[in-house]
Amino acid sequence: MFGLYPHIEPYQADRLPAGDGHALYWEACGNPHGKPAVVLHGGPGSGCTPGHRRLFDPAAYRVVLFDQRNCGRSTPHASDPGTNLETNTTSRLVADIERIRSHLRIERWLVYGNSWGSTLALAYAERHPRRVTEMVLAAVTTTRPSEIDWLYHGLREYFPGEWEQFRGALPEGERDGDLVEAYARLLTSLDANIRERAAQAWCEWEDAIVKRSASDAPNPRYADRRFRMAFARIVTHYFRHRAWLEEGQLIRDAGTLAGIPGVLIHGRHDLTSPLGTAEELHHAWPGSELLVVDSGHLSSDAAMAEAIVAATDRFARR
């Protein structure tokens, strides 16, 4: 389907202690002696999926996937209201990537990231450029305040009814302020019903804005209460703190990636991540390549998936 490789299972999986009480789930699949690659999932807080394994030639790549802090199969899980997210930050995720690389005795690897994963990939590569052989970024984001504001305020122009529902789920006095901050507060309420309603409303908005068509079926992951709560908590935690990044930091520092081949793949119809961010990054990153495809935001869209596989296939031969 869509030029993806067949489904495969990991040949190795474990949890790695990461300090602060965290244990990171990681897995390796493909060829144990192949070209190393690491997958950075979106969200933040979405967790890695079996579909990510299909973006790489299993005969050519040793693919490492992991669930970022507090989500997926990593522990403690953010669906538990007692889980404190204070030690879940961008800089700690960057350190986690290095921890996994060192644990697996990998010298250098290709870095793949989609959506939030592209932000994390840039933060990692700009901190550790000597550990990166190539990069493939899909649905490019840099999590600037303007990008966050677009997601939860600007997109009302395209989804007015859905946005009114999203906004209307908040207490009346908080509907005209920072919606991310307001949801973050509700998601830490002592009242379980308030938390559940907030997570449901948050995920309904997230689902609405990535669909190519209003008739598309809901994302089944949002039907899982545990996933829904962890995802909403982690996203609001990161976005209310602007991902602990300086304004425009990742584009400003893209010059450090000179010499690292990079393919930026962006959907022409991606409303959640306007194309301008990918274009800015492309101009700031010497030697990068920007591919605009007939797709939306999701890496599972046919044109997006085919472009990702074409990029990983090309780099498999380097």
Side-chain angles (χ1 to χ4, degrees):
M1 172 182 252
F2 308 146
L4 296 172
Y5 285 97
H7 283 290
I8 57 173
E9 294 298 322
Y11 64 80
Q12 190 177 12
D14 203 351
R15 283 187 175 84
L16 179 66
D20 308 318
H22 291 273
L24 305 174
Y25 170 85
W26 64 269
E27 63 182 44
C29 57
N31 181 352
H33 306 291
K35 179 186 180 76
V38 63
V39 171
L40 306 180
H41 65 68
S46 291
C48 57
T49 69
H52 286 124
R53 304 170 193 157
R54 303 183 66 192
L55 300 172
F56 299 84
D57 181 348
Y61 279 98
R62 175 189 182 189
V63 186
V64 178
L65 302 88
F66 76 101
D67 291 330
Q68 295 161 28
R69 292 187 175 212
N70 302 126
C71 73
R73 288 149 289 186
S74 293
T75 57
H77 201 265
S79 62
D80 180 347
T83 297
N84 190 317
L85 302 183
E86 288 183 1
T87 56
N88 191 338
T89 65
T90 301
S91 62
R92 283 183 165 92
L93 294 188
V94 168
D96 289 342
I97 300 169
E98 273 295 273
R99 181 177 286 106
I100 292 169
R101 183 196 61 76
S102 178
H103 175 71
L104 296 178
R105 299 181 181 180
I106 293 172
E107 185 65 24
R108 302 172 72 220
W109 49 12
L110 179 149
V111 177
Y112 167 78
N114 65 282
S115 191
W116 155 257
S118 64
T119 292
L120 181 57
L122 289 166
Y124 172 74
E126 290 177 8
R127 181 79 61 87
H128 302 285
R130 295 183 180 180
R131 298 302 183 185
V132 180
T133 55
E134 304 91 8
M135 298 180 73
V136 178
L137 306 182
V140 177
T141 69
T142 62
T143 317
R144 291 175 293 185
S146 60
E147 295 172 52
I148 298 170
D149 183 71
W150 173 255
L151 281 170
Y152 304 107
H153 293 86
L155 276 173
R156 63 186 174 185
E157 298 177 19
Y158 294 89
F159 303 94
E162 294 86 345
W163 189 76
E164 283 299 335
Q165 286 185 315
F166 177 60
R167 176 175 171 265
L170 294 170
E172 189 171 351
E174 298 184 70
R175 295 174 186 171
D176 295 320
D178 184 334
L179 303 188
V180 174
E181 188 70 38
Y183 268 96
R185 186 186 65 76
L186 292 184
L187 289 162
T188 59
S189 171
L190 295 178
D191 186 326
N193 291 325
I194 291 176
R195 296 195 305 270
E196 293 293 340
R197 287 195 297 269
Q200 181 72 45
W202 182 272
C203 292
E204 286 175 355
W205 172 251
E206 293 276 354
D207 194 38
I209 61 179
V210 300
K211 289 180 179 179
R212 287 289 297 273
S213 169
S215 63
D216 289 349
N219 187 329
R221 301 185 86 189
Y222 294 133
D224 181 338
R225 187 211 67 81
R226 188 169 182 268
F227 174 87
R228 198 166 57 228
M229 181 60 67
F231 176 77
R233 285 194 68 199
I234 295 171
V235 174
T236 54
H237 172 65
Y238 268 77
F239 287 178
R240 71 187 289 263
H241 288 101
R242 305 299 186 255
W244 298 271
L245 297 168
E246 297 175 14
E247 173 66 32
Q249 172 185 332
L250 299 180
I251 293 176
R252 180 197 70 200
D253 295 343
T256 62
L257 305 177
I260 299 175
V263 178
L264 314 178
I265 305 168
H266 207 84
R268 190 180 306 279
H269 310 292
D270 187 345
L271 291 178
T272 65
S273 306
L275 180 57
T277 294
E279 291 178 327
E280 286 182 69
L281 177 61
H282 169 53
H283 291 305
W285 179 353
S288 64
E289 177 183 352
L290 174 61
L291 299 178
V292 181
V293 298
D294 186 24
S295 174
H297 184 76
L298 299 175
S299 61
S300 58
D301 285 358
M304 180 76 77
E306 289 174 359
I308 294 168
V309 170
T312 59
D313 279 355
R314 189 200 321 170
F315 288 142
R317 298 188 292 268
R318 289 185 80 252

